[in-house]
């Protein structure tokens, strides 16, 4: 199989702990089989600056918590055939979403992190992306095609979903993954 | 007066049960499983969670099996694509009402809501999630009430009232804004009626009421209400 006929896969890391990427890598020897069939075109584990065009499958970890992430997510959606929400932060908002219950949460968490608990030079940074009012699950921002819940999702489940999708088989999550 | 026998069909299986039996009891006694959340043996029926919805031949409506009595000649369907779809939706409604963040919940992996969502294949919540933050009461010596995890099944209220017999717990407000309260909305530490029996923690299906520093697997005991009743009814 030449690289041109391989499934073009991207992975994206938004507001998450990278645990879902760790779980993706935790597929161990199954990654070798997967590598024969896919071409990784964009990922935090490789050095590509711009999200490429014509991506077949994109797995996205983390909630949408700032303006840059929102832009990247929309960009990825435009350029991807199948977009998958990977893990609880992407599916439910999970831990990044815990700030959503606080009034003026963006200002409140920045103040807490950079001013109230700072030992030296307490100041809110201005050269980083602006936080959104709420950290949102992906499907509240763009259309999502498939969901792999879990914190993190088990490696076997990630492999099962990707393998089924590549063979054009239906993905029914009944009894497969704990929600949340 | 003698209790009559009612004959009906559940999933095309003919069954005969005593008059006054609910569809849920009739199904269970004949080995047919219907998912439930708010129902618990030994406690009165509530019909709040809508997980046990069933179809009855001849009616376009769905019925909550836990509070619908059997009728002569009734034909009940407990499993269908339509019911599965509605049950999935009911779980999603419950999940969207509060900030159910399993990753930080004491009930993670020991939660009936989480298990049902898994069994039904709920992989996301299609409704916008409510993020309102509700007060947590940790004033009691060892019992904690986290209203953010509560699914308003009222098992704790019913066990406290009907089994322990003190009615410390109750609800205030309505609909999704309803909240479990202690006495007349006091802090738990100030409760004059609570006997600290822990039955509320034992029957809570999620992580809303729990015993501090005790593994949830050791705390939960779904059979507690039935057990207490059986002891009370000993001849």
């Amino acid at each position: 199989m030449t690289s041109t006929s391989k499934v073009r896969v991207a992975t994206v890391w938004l507001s998450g702990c990278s645990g879902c990427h760790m779980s993706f890598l935790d597929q161990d020897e199954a990654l070798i089989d997967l590598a024969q069939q896919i071409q990784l075109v964009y990922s935090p584990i490789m050095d590509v600056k711009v999200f490429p065009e014509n991506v077949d499958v994109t797995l996205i970890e983390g909630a949408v918590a700032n303006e840059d992430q929102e832009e990247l997510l929309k960009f990825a959606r435009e350029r991807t055939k199948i977009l998958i929400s990977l893990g609880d932060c992407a599916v439910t908002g999970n831990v990044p979403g815990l700030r959503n219950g606080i009034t003026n949460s963006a200002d409140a968490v920045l103040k807490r992190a950079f001013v109230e608990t700072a030992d030296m030079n307490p100041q809110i940074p201005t050269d980083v992306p602006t936080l959104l009012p709420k950290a949102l699950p992906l499907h509240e921002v763009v259309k999502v095609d498939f969901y792999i819940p879990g914190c993190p999702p088990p490696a076997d489940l990630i492999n099962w979903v990707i393998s089924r999708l590549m063979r054009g088989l239906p993905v029914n999550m009944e009894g497969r993954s704990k929600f949340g | 007066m003698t209790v009559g026998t009612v004959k009906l069909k559940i999933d095309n299986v003919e069954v005969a049960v005593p008059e006054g039996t609910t569809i849920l009891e009739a199904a269970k006694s004949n080995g047919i499983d219907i998912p439930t959340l708010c129902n618990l043996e030994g406690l009165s029926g509530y019909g709040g969670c809508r997980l046990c919805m069933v179809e009855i031949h001849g009616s376009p409506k769905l019925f909550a099996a836990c509070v619908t009595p059997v009728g002569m000649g009734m034909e009940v369907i407990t499993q269908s694509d339509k019911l599965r779809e509605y049950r999935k939706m009911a779980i999603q409604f419950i999940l969207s009402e509060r900030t159910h963040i399993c990753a930080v919940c004491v009930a993670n992996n020991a939660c009936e809501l989480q298990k049902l969502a898994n069994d039904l294949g709920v992989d996301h919540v299609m409704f916008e999630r409510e993020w309102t933050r509700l007060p947590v009461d940790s004033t009691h010596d060892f019992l904690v009430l986290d209203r953010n995890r509560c699914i308003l099944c009222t098992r704790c209220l019913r066990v406290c009232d009907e089994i322990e017999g003190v009615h410390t717990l109750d609800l205030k407000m309505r609909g999704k804004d309803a909240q479990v309260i202690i006495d007349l909305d006091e802090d738990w530490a100030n409760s004059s009626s609570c006997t600290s029996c822990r039955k509320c923690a034992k029957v809570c299906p999620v992580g809303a009421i729990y015993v501090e520093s005790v593994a949830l697997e050791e705390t939960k005991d779904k059979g507690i209400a039935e057990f207490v009743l059986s002891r009370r009814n000993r001849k």
Side-chain angles (χ1 to χ4, degrees):
Chain A
M1 192 181 276
T2 62
S3 64
T4 50
S5 65
K6 287 184 174 181
V7 178
R8 287 166 61 80
V9 174
T11 73
V12 175
W13 179 15
L14 305 180
S15 270
C17 67
S18 92
C20 300
H21 272 86
M22 295 298 115
S23 208
F24 180 86
L25 294 173
D26 215 16
Q27 293 176 71
D28 299 333
E29 72 274 12
L31 276 178
I32 298 168
D33 291 338
L34 198 63
Q36 315 268 324
Q37 302 168 65
I38 69 166
Q39 182 192 359
L40 200 59
V41 293
Y42 181 88
S43 173
I45 59 171
M46 62 196 287
D47 191 16
V48 176
K49 306 294 183 201
V50 180
F51 194 91
E53 297 202 28
N54 295 323
V55 179
D56 294 309
V57 180
T58 298
L59 295 128
I60 304 189
E61 167 191 343
V64 194
N66 67 41
E67 286 177 354
D68 277 18
Q69 291 172 351
E70 187 181 21
E71 192 183 326
L72 174 59
L73 173 63
K74 287 178 176 169
F75 200 53
R77 175 68 276 185
E78 277 173 24
R79 296 180 163 207
T80 304
K81 291 194 188 88
I82 297 174
L83 191 139
I84 302 175
S85 243
L86 180 67
D88 279 351
C89 296
V91 174
T92 72
N94 205 27
V95 174
L98 282 172
R99 73 170 161 94
N100 295 352
I102 304 169
T103 313
N104 261 337
S105 76
D107 293 338
V109 292
L110 286 173
K111 202 172 160 201
R112 180 71 185 153
F114 294 102
V115 178
E116 291 171 5
T117 55
D119 295 327
M120 295 166 66
N121 302 326
Q123 57 183 320
I124 292 175
T126 52
D127 52 355
V128 290
T130 306
L131 284 184
L132 297 173
K134 284 183 179 174
L136 298 171
L138 306 190
H139 66 275
E140 287 192 21
V141 181
V142 297
K143 179 182 174 289
V144 169
D145 300 303
F146 293 97
Y147 302 82
I148 311 181
C151 183
D156 290 348
L157 182 69
I158 298 173
N159 185 267
W160 183 80
V161 173
I162 296 173
S163 309
R164 300 275 297 183
L165 287 176
M166 288 202 300
R167 283 182 284 157
L169 298 170
V171 178
N172 181 350
M173 299 297 273
E174 275 178 37
R176 292 207 169 264
S177 161
K178 71 183 174 73
F179 183 86
Chain B
M1 199 172 87
T2 54
V3 178
T5 300
V6 176
K7 285 185 181 174
L8 71 156
K9 273 187 182 176
I10 304 179
D11 291 342
N12 279 327
V13 177
E14 280 203 20
V15 302
V17 292
E19 203 178 340
T21 308
T22 64
I23 293 174
L24 183 70
E25 288 163 345
K28 197 179 174 192
S29 63
N30 285 279
I32 297 165
D33 188 42
I34 300 175
T36 60
L37 254 186
C38 68
N39 186 265
L40 203 63
E41 280 192 77
L43 299 182
S44 57
Y46 178 58
C49 73
R50 316 314 276 179
L51 258 293
C52 66
M53 284 180 297
V54 293
E55 292 184 68
I56 295 178
H57 187 71
S59 171
K61 290 196 299 181
L62 300 178
F63 295 82
C66 68
V67 288
T68 308
V70 292
M72 189 64 87
M74 207 179 238
E75 289 182 32
V76 179
I77 300 158
T78 71
Q79 301 292 335
S80 67
D81 289 345
K82 179 182 174 181
L83 287 172
R84 198 169 300 116
E85 198 54 39
Y86 277 95
R87 284 174 186 154
K88 266 178 99 161
M89 210 183 283
I91 287 277
Q92 291 182 49
F93 276 131
I94 294 170
L95 286 166
S96 66
E97 282 180 2
R98 301 275 157 104
T99 51
H100 293 287
I101 304 291
C102 305
V104 295
C105 181
V106 288
N108 198 4
N109 284 334
C111 173
E112 289 177 48
L113 177 65
Q114 190 179 43
K115 183 180 182 309
L116 268 171
N118 179 24
D119 291 348
L120 291 164
V122 174
D123 57 9
H124 73 291
V125 177
M126 68 167 97
F127 311 107
E128 194 175 327
R129 191 171 277 225
E130 170 89 35
W131 290 100
T132 308
R133 185 165 287 194
L134 298 172
V136 178
D137 187 337
S138 57
T139 58
H140 188 282
D141 287 345
F142 53 83
L143 287 164
V144 181
L145 166 60
D146 184 347
R147 295 175 176 91
N148 298 292
R149 294 167 179 166
C150 178
I151 59 169
L152 301 171
C153 70
T154 73
R155 277 191 194 177
C156 54
L157 271 62
R158 285 176 285 152
V159 83
C160 185
D161 178 28
E162 298 165 16
I163 301 298
E164 182 61 8
V166 293
H167 202 128
T168 296
L169 300 162
D170 215 320
L171 286 182
K172 71 171 181 182
M173 318 280 273
R174 282 170 169 245
K176 71 174 176 54
D177 297 324
Q179 291 176 35
V180 172
I181 51 167
I182 317 287
D183 287 348
L184 293 172
D185 209 1
E186 298 284 342
D187 281 346
W188 211 332
N190 299 332
S191 171
S192 55
S193 63
C194 178
T195 59
S196 301
C197 71
R198 309 174 190 220
K199 287 191 183 72
C200 49
K202 284 176 191 285
V203 300
C204 180
V206 289
I209 298 185
Y210 60 95
V211 181
E212 252 177 355
S213 311
V214 178
L216 223 65
E217 291 85 344
E218 292 168 30
T219 307
K220 285 186 186 290
D221 180 3
K222 272 176 79 176
I224 191 69
E226 201 185 5
F227 172 74
V228 173
L229 268 190
S230 70
R231 301 287 283 181
R232 220 177 260 169
N233 294 335
R234 273 185 309 178
K235 293 278 185 297

